[in-house]
């Protein structure tokens, strides 16, 4: 055990959001074995356990989001988004909204997802040598649409009525001669501009080329607006900065981007509209081996950061755990949520030793896997080696803890 006086001090409080099921169990282990023995900090704790959200009528989620806005950096465990089954399982008063959705809308943030690479876990795409980070515009489009089923012949129109008076703008969508469907979607200049500015600053911060792609050849008003706002943001604020650090901004048609990404070597931030980002982030995660090898950070335009795992609460493993069966659940993404939050805090506070600790923690975790010690999900995708050994949930965290201890002692 490291003596109290040797602990690394974090200057400013970090907001901690606890969660549910298997990830809650691992969150506690990571905190107790990897973080608290080495770091002294003021944690502003919110318990987002489903029962506590229910008890507080979800006020605890709103309070946590406000705390991130106040303190600037938060780390979050995965949480249950209730559906009908969960309402029954936990005897909930209401089907509370997704905590991530609530936090995202309060911070107006962009979600960046970055794979964790280890030498012996090769992406299925052999050309990918560096991470492909997805920046998803988590606002509007098909996720807040209006849809109608069309029962039979008739005319469908799209209408905008200005609130300050003036003539409504109207366009025919389709003269139906039989049943069909229609859909209305929207976005706002403000949100697109925030998205663009957050992507440029993230790319600059991480020194990654920024790609942005839409279907602007077909969607000449909607998708073209995204393209134009990105171009304005680039020309207005980033040309010189990007040149100085040797990175590029590149806009291309989504089809072309998909074709190129498969042949790229990675090291790219790929900014995508809401639906494209939803789909492509799953593709990149699965191509990188396991859901547990994907980190996720929500970045707000005002500079707040919330770090978490990209996966859920790993419900099936939790039921095994409750049944006293052994689990082999991967804690990498949770470890990286803590290290991401600590590194950001260290950078904001100018405390190099905190940044250094975050780096060592990540290295210890990756080296553990590279030494062949890994959870079941990775054993299938890792390069074959006589050193490979499947460990259980706890043993993996213990192995990282041991390695970290050795590193910190030099
Ligand atoms: P999940 O928790 O992501 O797990 C789906 C499957 O992926 C698991 O059954 C497991 O596969 C594998 N997996 C995910 N994370 C893993 C890890 N760390 N180590 C090893 N394997 C891992 O998704 P879910 O079970 O569909 O959702 C459970 C709950 O999570 C839901 O209530 C949902 O609302 C919530 N959720 C929360 C968030 C969030 O808070 N960010 C995100 C998504 C979902 P095998 O069973 O094949 O081993
Ligand atoms: Mg998806």
């Amino acid at each position: 055990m490291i003596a109290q006086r040797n602990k690394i001090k974090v200057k400013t409080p970090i907001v901690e959001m606890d969660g549910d099921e298997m990830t809650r169990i691992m969150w506690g282990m990571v905190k107790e074995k990897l973080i608290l023995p080495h770091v002294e900090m003021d944690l502003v704790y919110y318990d987002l356990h489903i029962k506590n959200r229910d008890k507080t009528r979800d006020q605890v989620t709103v309070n946590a989001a406000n705390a991130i806005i106040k303190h600037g950096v938060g780390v979050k465990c995965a949480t249950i988004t209730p559906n009908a089954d969960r309402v029954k399982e936990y005897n909930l008063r209401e089907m509370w909204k997704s905590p991530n959705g609530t936090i995202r809308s309060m911070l107006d943030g962009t979600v960046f997802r970055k794979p964790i690479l280890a030498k012996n876990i090769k992406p299925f795409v052999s050309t990918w040598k560096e991470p492909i980070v997805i920046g998803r515009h988590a606002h509007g489009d098909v996720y807040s649409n209006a849809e109608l089923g069309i029962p039979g012949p008739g005319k469908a129109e799209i209408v905008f009525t200005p609130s300050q008076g003036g003539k409504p703008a109207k366009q025919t969508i389709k003269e139906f001669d039989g049943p069909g469907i229609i859909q209305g979607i929207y976005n706002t200049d403000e949100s697109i501009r925030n998205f663009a500015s957050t992507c440029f600053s993230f790319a600059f911060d991480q020194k990654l080329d920024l790609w942005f792609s839409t279907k602007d050849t077909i969607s000449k008003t909607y998708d073209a607006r995204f393209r134009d706002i990105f171009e304005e943001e680039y020309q207005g604020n980033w040309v010189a900065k990007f040149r100085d650090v040797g990175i590029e901004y590149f806009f291309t048609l989504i089809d072309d981007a998909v074709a190129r990404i498969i042949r790229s070597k990675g090291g790219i931030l790929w900014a995508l509209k809401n639906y494209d980002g939803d789909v492509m982030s799953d593709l990149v995660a699965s191509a990188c081996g396991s859901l547990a090898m994907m980190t996720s950070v929500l970045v707000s335009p005002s500079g707040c950061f919330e770090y978490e795992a990209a996966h859920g609460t790993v419900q099936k493993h939790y039921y095994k755990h409750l049944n006293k069966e052994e689990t082999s659940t991967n804690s990498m993404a949770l470890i990286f949520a803590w290290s991401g939050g600590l590194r950001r805090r260290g950078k904001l506070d100018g405390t190099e030793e905190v940044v250094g600790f975050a780096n060592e923690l990540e290295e210890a975790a990756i080296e553990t896997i590279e030494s062949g010690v890994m959870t079941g999900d990775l054993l299938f995708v890792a390069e074959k080696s006589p050193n490979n050994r499947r460990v259980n949930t706890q043993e993996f965290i213990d192995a990282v803890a041991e390695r970290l201890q050795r590193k910190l002692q030099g």
Side-chain angles (χ1 to χ4, degrees):
M1 261 332 211
I2 286 196
Q4 181 83 12
R5 66 196 151 79
N6 288 338
K7 281 192 188 180
I8 296 156
K9 286 206 174 53
V10 180
K11 262 195 196 163
T12 317
I14 290 181
V15 179
E16 176 193 358
M17 287 152 281
D18 213 337
D20 291 302
E21 302 195 311
M22 200 60 204
T23 43
R24 186 182 180 95
I25 309 253
M26 294 195 288
W27 188 259
M29 290 181 185
V30 168
K31 188 175 158 187
E32 183 201 326
K33 301 204 161 185
L34 302 178
I35 310 295
L36 295 184
H38 309 292
V39 178
E40 198 179 299
M41 63 187 147
D42 190 2
L43 287 170
V44 186
Y45 179 85
Y46 293 89
D47 189 357
L48 302 194
H49 187 279
I50 182 75
K51 283 302 275 181
N52 196 40
R53 281 182 272 146
D54 194 51
K55 193 174 128 202
T56 62
R57 307 204 77 88
D58 213 21
Q59 186 60 37
V60 64
T61 309
V62 173
N63 293 352
N66 279 324
I68 303 172
I69 294 169
K70 178 173 172 200
H71 297 288
V73 178
V75 291
K76 180 180 169 291
C77 180
T79 45
I80 291 171
T81 297
N83 55 16
D85 290 342
R86 298 301 204 158
V87 170
K88 226 160 134 202
E89 181 180 358
Y90 286 92
N91 189 24
L92 304 179
R93 296 197 270 190
E94 259 180 57
M95 202 184 289
W96 305 107
K97 282 191 286 187
S98 146
N100 285 356
T102 302
I103 297 169
R104 204 152 58 207
S105 69
M106 284 178 69
L107 269 72
D108 184 18
T110 300
V111 176
F112 296 97
R113 295 204 154 171
K114 181 178 179 180
I116 304 166
L117 300 187
K119 285 198 194 89
N120 51 342
I121 316 283
K122 293 267 169 8
F124 290 109
V125 181
S126 59
T127 50
W128 292 357
K129 303 293 179 213
E130 288 163 57
I132 291 169
V133 183
I134 303 280
R136 170 181 171 193
H137 183 215
H139 179 265
D141 296 357
V142 68
Y143 300 85
S144 25
N145 63 7
E147 299 187 321
L148 279 181
I150 302 294
K155 182 169 160 185
E157 289 176 317
I158 186 169
V159 185
F160 170 71
T161 313
S163 13
Q164 261 130 24
K167 230 173 111 212
K170 201 189 280 187
Q171 228 186 312
T172 301
I173 299 173
K174 173 80 182 162
E175 303 262 8
F176 282 93
D177 34 12
I181 38 180
I182 58 168
Q183 178 185 61
I185 60 171
Y186 76 92
N187 232 300
T188 64
D189 281 12
E190 186 191 10
S191 175
I192 302 169
R193 214 172 289 285
N194 282 342
F195 172 50
S197 119
T198 312
C199 287
F200 279 101
S201 70
F202 191 90
F204 181 71
D205 184 59
Q206 306 262 316
K207 299 200 176 41
L208 294 169
D209 286 336
L210 173 61
W211 292 15
F212 181 48
S213 45
T214 69
K215 192 78 178 178
D216 63 315
T217 48
I218 298 296
S219 171
K220 290 184 181 353
T221 302
Y222 199 103
D223 278 23
R225 187 90 191 121
F226 279 82
R227 179 200 61 207
D228 292 348
I229 289 177
F230 264 71
E231 188 59 29
E232 280 167 32
E233 178 67 22
Y234 178 55
Q235 294 300 338
N237 300 314
W238 297 97
V239 174
K241 287 185 184 150
F242 268 42
R243 198 179 38 225
D244 288 349
V245 296
I247 54 174
E248 276 185 358
Y249 168 61
F250 173 58
F251 175 85
T252 187
L253 188 66
I254 180 99
D255 317 40
D256 181 48
V258 169
R260 280 171 190 260
I261 218 89
I262 285 293
R263 286 181 281 110
S264 80
K265 67 172 185 8
I268 296 160
L269 167 60
W270 189 12
L272 288 161
K273 288 175 58 202
N274 211 348
Y275 175 82
D276 300 337
D278 181 354
V279 177
M280 287 302 162
S281 62
D282 289 331
L283 181 127
V284 172
S286 135
C288 288
S290 161
L291 268 180
M293 297 297 274
M294 181 66 90
T295 63
S296 182
V297 54
L298 173 72
V299 183
S300 84
S302 62
C304 298
F305 295 79
E306 184 223 18
Y307 293 82
E308 62 162 353
H311 58 76
T313 59
V314 213
Q315 182 181 14
K316 281 193 207 133
H317 295 211
Y318 181 59
Y319 291 160
K320 272 178 138 184
H321 169 83
L322 290 181
N323 266 332
K324 307 252 182 298
E325 286 171 55
E326 185 175 68
T327 57
S328 181
T329 318
N330 190 336
S331 48
M332 284 296 279
L334 295 177
I335 297 173
F336 274 64
W338 278 103
S339 60
L342 284 166
R343 180 184 296 105
R344 175 60 52 187
R345 196 63 271 167
K347 279 190 182 172
L348 292 171
D349 293 344
T351 43
E352 258 170 55
E353 60 290 4
V354 175
V355 176
F357 173 78
N359 293 340
E360 302 226 70
L361 173 57
E362 290 182 0
E363 279 166 25
I366 290 174
E367 285 168 14
T368 301
I369 293 175
E370 290 178 347
S371 77
V373 175
M374 57 188 84
T375 44
D377 55 322
L378 292 183
L379 208 64
F380 296 113
V381 291
E383 276 180 353
K384 299 287 163 267
S385 155
N387 296 332
N388 286 359
R389 182 159 69 87
R390 179 187 190 274
V391 289
N392 68 31
T393 309
Q394 165 113 36
E395 285 165 345
F396 180 75
I397 294 170
D398 286 342
V400 177
E402 241 171 67
R403 198 172 275 271
L404 176 64
Q405 181 86 292
R406 284 204 301 273
K407 276 178 162 307
L408 292 172
Q409 285 166 345

